[in-house]
């Protein structure tokens, strides 16, 4: 395009930035950033947010933040790119700060932004804020929590070792919990030495939801071994063997 003396437009650059992110070459991304500046496109919010996404996906949150800070017009896409960028890099405090600045600017949040917010609260161990935002989502902003939001709450409760409360929360969910939710609870049980009845219940639930994943049989089998329930261990072992065998046979026929 450049050899043909064609001027690239904003959409050309959005495509280029997306390509950079997928092939993971930061140097090319930086040179495209320079060209965007040269063509005077830095005021385009699609481009600003694509740049923020790109830098943050490379772990360069500071550069992403610089683009964000220098952007003269920040619309919802810019804010949500920045919030998401902090989130994927584990910067929980920054997520919450950026989110509260966004609200101060009068910009309405959506359901995706709330996933970043709730997961940041969970990672930072802010249980009060987690509940606060979880409830405000629906009551203040009219956004019904989805599975991803519930998963953040279960993750938060599990991380804090509140396994019973987490189970109660899952049992009271108005939508059917999926394996991600049960998985968060299982991880919580394992990390906090939660009650073995709950661990057993959750592992069985996961086996029924995802019977092909052997890791859940292993968790359950280890639990039974700890409790000296050898018959159960035997049963699970033979189930695992059948599954593994099926897998190996499956591969060998390809
Ligand atoms: C099986 O489950 C474990 C624990 O949730 C998970 O880390 C792993 O990716 C799963 N494996 C497959 C093949 O889905």
């Amino acid at each position: 395009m450049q050899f043909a003396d064609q001027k690239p437009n904003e959409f050309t650059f959005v495509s280029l930035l997306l390509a950079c992110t997928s092939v993971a070459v930061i140097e090319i991304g930086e040179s495209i950033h320079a060209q965007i500046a040269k063509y005077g496109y830095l005021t385009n919010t699609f481009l600003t947010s694509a740049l923020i996404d790109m830098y943050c996906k490379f772990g360069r949150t500071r550069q992403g933040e610089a683009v964000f800070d220098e952007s003269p017009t920040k619309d919802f896409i810019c804010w949500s790119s920045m919030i998401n960028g902090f989130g994927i890099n584990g910067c929980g405090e920054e997520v919450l700060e950026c989110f509260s600045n966004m609200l101060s600017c009068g910009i309405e949040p959506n359901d995706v932004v709330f996933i970043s917010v709730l997961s940041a609260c969970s990672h930072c161990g802010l249980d009060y804020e987690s509940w606060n935002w979880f409830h405000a989502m629906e009551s203040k902003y009219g956004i019904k929590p989805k599975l991803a939001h519930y998963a953040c709450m279960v993750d938060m409760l599990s991380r804090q070792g509140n396994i019973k409360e987490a189970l109660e929360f899952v049992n009271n969910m108005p939508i059917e919990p999926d394996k991600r939710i049960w998985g968060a609870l299982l991880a919580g049980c394992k990390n906090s030495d939660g009650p073995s009845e709950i661990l057993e219940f959750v592992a069985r639930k996961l086996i029924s939801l995802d019977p092909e994943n052997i890791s859940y049989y292993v968790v359950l089998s280890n639990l039974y071994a700890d409790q000296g329930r050898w018959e159960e261990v035997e049963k699970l072992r033979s189930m695992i063997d059948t599954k593994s065998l099926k897998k190996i046979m499956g591969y060998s026929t390809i």
Side-chain angles (χ1 to χ4, degrees):
M1 222 174 148
Q2 286 183 317
F3 283 132
D5 220 12
Q6 293 278 328
K7 190 177 174 232
N9 67 12
E10 293 93 325
F11 296 103
T12 322
F13 282 120
V14 170
S15 311
L16 282 171
L17 288 173
L18 286 174
C20 278
T21 310
S22 58
V23 296
V25 251
I26 185 72
E27 291 78 14
I28 299 180
E30 281 173 328
S31 93
I32 293 169
H33 185 178
Q35 295 215 31
I36 292 171
K38 193 181 102 189
Y39 282 105
Y41 287 147
L42 276 177
T43 50
N44 179 296
T45 56
F46 280 107
L47 272 177
T48 309
S49 71
L51 278 168
I52 298 169
D53 286 344
M54 179 196 73
Y55 281 124
C56 292
K57 278 181 189 146
F58 283 114
R60 308 218 179 174
T61 24
R62 278 228 199 99
Q63 270 168 293
E65 204 179 357
V67 173
F68 176 78
D69 287 341
E70 284 157 21
S71 161
T73 44
K74 296 178 180 62
D75 64 0
F76 173 74
I77 321 173
C78 295
W79 284 100
S80 71
S81 288
M82 194 66 251
I83 291 170
N84 178 56
F86 283 134
I88 58 176
N89 286 289
C91 312
E93 309 268 343
E94 287 83 353
V95 167
L96 298 174
E97 194 186 329
C98 194
F99 178 64
S100 92
N101 291 340
M102 180 184 96
L103 295 180
S104 312
C105 291
I107 293 179
E108 286 280 306
N110 71 355
D111 59 331
V112 178
V113 169
F114 271 112
I115 299 174
S116 304
V117 171
L118 293 176
S119 100
C121 291
S122 168
H123 282 261
C124 296
L126 303 169
D127 54 337
Y128 174 79
E129 277 82 354
S130 284
W131 287 117
N132 199 15
W133 287 123
F134 182 74
H135 292 305
M137 255 181 89
E138 192 161 8
S139 64
K140 199 163 172 199
Y141 300 100
I143 302 166
K144 257 201 166 39
K146 294 184 183 153
L147 279 170
H149 305 105
Y150 283 99
C152 293
M153 298 309 284
V154 175
D155 184 57
M156 184 272 291
L157 288 166
S158 300
R159 273 167 193 269
Q160 306 211 323
N162 296 327
I163 304 302
K164 279 191 186 148
E165 203 182 336
L167 179 63
E168 207 177 294
F169 180 79
V170 173
N171 284 333
N172 287 324
M173 277 173 56
I175 40 177
E176 190 64 28
D178 63 354
K179 63 180 181 188
R180 190 173 26 161
I181 305 254
W182 291 112
L185 193 48
L186 185 77
C189 285
K190 286 199 287 190
N191 294 337
S192 69
D193 236 347
S196 57
E197 317 85 69
I198 299 187
L199 180 60
E200 180 178 354
F201 175 77
V202 175
R204 287 206 165 273
K205 199 86 193 174
L206 279 162
I207 289 174
S208 73
L209 287 173
D210 191 5
E212 294 309 312
N213 191 327
I214 288 171
S215 72
Y216 306 129
Y217 297 84
V218 175
V219 170
L220 199 55
S221 159
N222 288 342
L223 173 73
Y224 288 147
D226 281 346
Q227 298 174 332
R229 293 159 73 180
W230 302 110
E231 267 177 37
E232 300 280 0
V233 173
E234 241 353 274
K235 262 192 238 164
L236 283 167
R237 290 266 157 87
S238 67
M239 282 166 90
I240 295 175
D241 286 345
T242 326
K243 296 236 170 257
S244 315
L245 197 63
K246 259 195 203 153
K247 229 180 202 166
I248 293 162
M249 307 270 274
Y251 283 128
S252 64
T253 54
I254 293 171

